Amino acid sequence: MNPWHTAALLAVIWAVTLALRAAPFAASRWLRENDFVRDLGLLLPVGVMAVLVVGMLQDTPWSGWGWVPSIAGVGVTAALHFWRDSVLLSLVGGIAAYGVLLLVVP
């Protein structure tokens, strides 16, 4: 490959990366005042939780005791979220409960 071609390619990659990283700062006032972004900020945690639940329960074995860690993880996550209304606490607590029960339950 030609060295000038490589340099031009790297310059384009650098410019696009810089523009993508600077865009939120340039549009911060518009982002704060936009109703769609505000609604997205309210709905996104629920969407992330739904995707995580569906992804985890998708491959859950329902025979024997294989379903216990998954259901307990979902239950702990929901309980922590309703108790403290903290997405971070509920995600970490649910994942921790799932991981511990995955080691304990045969």
Side-chain angles (χ1 to χ4, degrees):
M1 188 182 284
N2 185 350
W4 291 106
H5 184 266
T6 304
L9 186 64
L10 288 174
V12 169
I13 291 170
W14 176 82
V16 169
T17 301
L18 181 68
L20 287 174
R21 291 186 182 250
F25 296 107
S28 66
R29 188 170 137 216
W30 176 80
L31 289 172
R32 272 181 269 152
E33 297 171 357
N34 192 326
D35 291 335
F36 175 72
V37 174
R38 181 182 46 82
D39 292 342
L40 191 63
L42 293 173
L43 294 175
L44 197 58
V46 176
V48 169
M49 293 284 226
V51 168
L52 287 173
V53 167
V54 169
M56 185 176 68
L57 294 179
Q58 180 179 359
D59 295 329
T60 298
W62 296 104
S63 61
W65 291 98
W67 57 272
V68 172
S70 298
I71 298 300
V74 170
V76 167
T77 302
L80 286 174
H81 191 71
F82 287 129
W83 177 49
R84 286 289 186 188
D85 197 24
S86 170
V87 175
L88 180 63
L89 176 66
S90 58
L91 283 174
V92 171
I95 291 171
Y98 174 73
V100 167
L101 285 173
L102 204 58
L103 293 173
V104 173
V105 174

